[in-house]
Amino acid sequence: MIATSRHQMPWLIILAGSLIAVMTFGPRSAMGFFQLPMLADRGWDRSTFGLAMAFQNLFWGVSQPFFGALADKYGTGRVLVMSGVLYACGLLMMAHATAPIWLHIGGGVLIGTAIGAGSFSVILSAFARNVTPEQRSMAFGIGTAAGSAGMFLFAPLSQGFISAFGWSDSLVVIAVMMLVVPLLAFPLRGNAQSGSQSGNQYQQTVAEALREALAHKSYLLLTTGFFVCGFQVAFITAHFPAYLGDIGIDARYAVIAMALIGFFNIIGSLAAGWIGQRYSKPYFLAFIYIGRSITVTLFLLLPQTPLSVVIFAAVMGLLWLSTVPPTNGLVAIMFGTRHLGLLGGLVFLSHQIGSFLGVWMGGYLYDHFGTYDQVWWLGVALGIFAAVVHWPIRETAVERPALSMA
């Protein structure tokens, strides 16, 4: 017990993983700034761009359990190297896309797969096996805040690149920047059998872990609720800059809004890590979803001005990725860290199915009705649904035979 209480945070691992989160989440959160200049240059409609971003979110989700399992078995560092290379290739293909198919493959399939390889389930599982259970929630909060910092950094950076170099060359510049990810991956080498917590792991095969998780009510409820998170945040990420232009708000407020979401996201993620260590994670998640629904409702019903955009962005930023630390923390509490990359990845798959629908429906319904209102209100209703779903989740470990411990 004394050794556990004095266990130091593995700051090199935390720092390297956090910097990778900055790089993997930063460019994808700024994709909305490329929509209008790309469409004006290529002559495509919003459904075309929306479908590419929907593919990005879908392949992020589909690939994430796969890469999580690979990281658990073969090492996190190797998977993160793949993430950086795939990301750079996807950005380059997107930059030179002359037909929608290349936008869908580069900006959708390749970038989405790259994010899956460098996403939270991969990075946070590396954190989890190197920190004590008491430190886990805070470590998750730091890693999530780093993804938020990427959003805060790349919103003005991407807009500045577009203004200086044009949208295509800007994507090339960002592609070159992504090559730093393989260099940062070295401290995160090691698989699920390594790390300071490996001796406390429950030994299972992948099939046994899947059967156990898919029969666990609280895990299924958590997975269902996280679908809503993906729907809400992906819709705003992809379509909010265009939405502000539609309602007559100056374009610079789109940059300000996305930067504010990223900045307050840092605060919200760190706060979520602190709160998750001290209070009920399921109840906290329920309040986050209720808060999102209230925030969107007030934004839509009250007069929409530059001031209301700033306030909306700040409040949504606090609630943006604050779901990630308690969600991953619950998976680790339920099942331990042995297959956290895989089981956390499956929860994120649900998130990304929601993201796919949020992004795609945003573009599809806009082209048919000339407004985003239907998707906004659907997100409000889903937020209430998610709050109800999270309420009965039990924050306890699954019961297992003691003889199967390592």
Side-chain angles (χ1 to χ4, degrees):
M1 292 295 293
I2 294 174
T4 299
S5 63
R6 293 180 178 176
H7 184 83
Q8 295 296 312
M9 275 279 205
W11 287 114
L12 179 60
I13 292 174
I14 299 292
L15 177 61
S18 296
L19 290 174
I20 291 173
V22 169
M23 297 304 299
T24 55
F25 282 88
R28 70 155 297 273
S29 66
M31 288 288 114
F33 295 112
F34 292 90
Q35 178 175 187
L36 295 183
M38 177 184 288
L39 299 186
D41 192 22
R42 296 294 191 242
W44 302 330
D45 58 20
R46 295 192 190 185
S47 293
T48 300
F49 186 87
L51 183 59
M53 296 303 101
F55 278 137
Q56 182 185 110
N57 283 281
L58 182 61
F59 276 85
W60 172 6
V62 170
S63 66
Q64 195 157 305
F66 173 74
F67 284 119
L70 286 180
D72 290 338
K73 185 172 183 179
Y74 297 108
T76 302
R78 295 176 179 177
V79 171
L80 291 174
V81 169
M82 294 173 59
S83 173
V85 174
L86 285 172
Y87 218 131
C89 292
L91 288 166
L92 288 173
M93 185 175 291
M94 185 177 174
H96 298 97
T98 55
I101 183 64
W102 303 116
L103 171 63
H104 295 155
I105 294 175
V109 177
L110 289 181
I111 292 180
T113 303
I115 300 169
S119 191
F120 287 129
S121 67
V122 174
I123 295 172
L124 298 188
S125 62
F127 288 5
R129 60 178 178 261
N130 288 283
V131 300
T132 65
E134 295 77 17
Q135 297 169 330
R136 189 182 294 150
S137 184
M138 198 64 230
F140 287 179
I142 294 171
T144 307
S148 310
M151 185 177 185
F152 173 68
L153 173 66
F154 274 88
L157 190 64
S158 297
Q159 188 61 52
F161 283 164
I162 293 171
S163 298
F165 309 120
W167 67 269
S168 181
D169 288 345
S170 297
L171 290 171
V172 174
V173 172
I174 298 173
V176 174
M177 294 172 63
M178 292 306 302
L179 296 179
V180 74
V181 171
L183 301 178
L184 293 169
F186 183 76
L188 283 86
R189 65 194 185 280
N191 61 13
Q193 299 295 337
S194 62
S196 62
Q197 304 302 302
S198 60
N200 300 323
Q201 293 173 359
Y202 184 83
Q203 298 303 306
Q204 290 175 302
T205 66
V206 170
E208 289 170 342
L210 287 173
R211 282 197 298 269
E212 181 180 64
L214 296 177
H216 195 270
K217 179 181 177 181
S218 290
Y219 180 79
L220 295 178
L221 290 173
L222 185 69
T223 303
T224 301
F226 214 37
F227 166 92
V228 176
C229 180
F231 184 96
Q232 293 172 329
V233 302
F235 165 69
I236 295 175
T237 299
H239 295 286
F240 196 56
Y243 174 77
L244 294 183
D246 293 341
I247 62 175
I249 302 293
D250 190 277
R252 63 194 174 100
Y253 282 98
V255 180
I256 294 172
M258 299 310 290
L260 282 173
I261 289 175
F263 176 76
F264 281 92
N265 202 354
I266 299 172
I267 299 172
S269 299
L270 292 173
W274 185 88
I275 293 170
Q277 286 187 178
R278 292 163 175 81
Y279 302 100
S280 167
K281 295 177 182 65
Y283 293 169
F284 179 47
L285 285 165
F287 287 129
I288 290 172
Y289 287 109
I290 291 173
R292 287 183 182 180
S293 292
I294 293 173
T295 302
V296 172
T297 298
L298 292 175
F299 177 66
L300 295 177
L301 294 181
L302 295 175
Q304 293 176 315
T305 64
L307 178 60
S308 73
V309 169
V310 168
I311 295 173
F312 171 78
V315 176
M316 282 301 294
L318 291 174
L319 305 172
W320 195 259
L321 290 182
S322 56
T323 58
V324 174
T327 298
N328 277 273
L330 283 169
V331 178
I333 288 171
M334 292 174 189
F335 306 109
T337 61
R338 174 65 182 86
H339 294 286
L340 183 57
L342 170 65
L343 300 181
L346 286 176
V347 177
F348 266 87
L349 172 58
S350 174
H351 182 283
Q352 293 313 112
I353 293 172
S355 298
F356 173 87
L357 291 176
V359 174
W360 174 75
M361 289 180 67
Y364 179 82
L365 293 179
Y366 180 89
D367 287 339
H368 279 72
F369 298 103
T371 177
Y372 289 113
D373 287 350
Q374 292 86 352
V375 187
W376 279 116
W377 288 113
L378 179 57
V380 170
L382 287 173
I384 298 171
F385 166 77
V388 173
V389 163
H390 280 86
W391 204 260
I393 291 175
R394 295 180 60 197
E395 191 174 348
T396 57
V398 65
E399 295 182 3
R400 288 164 167 166
L403 292 177
S404 294
M405 292 297 292

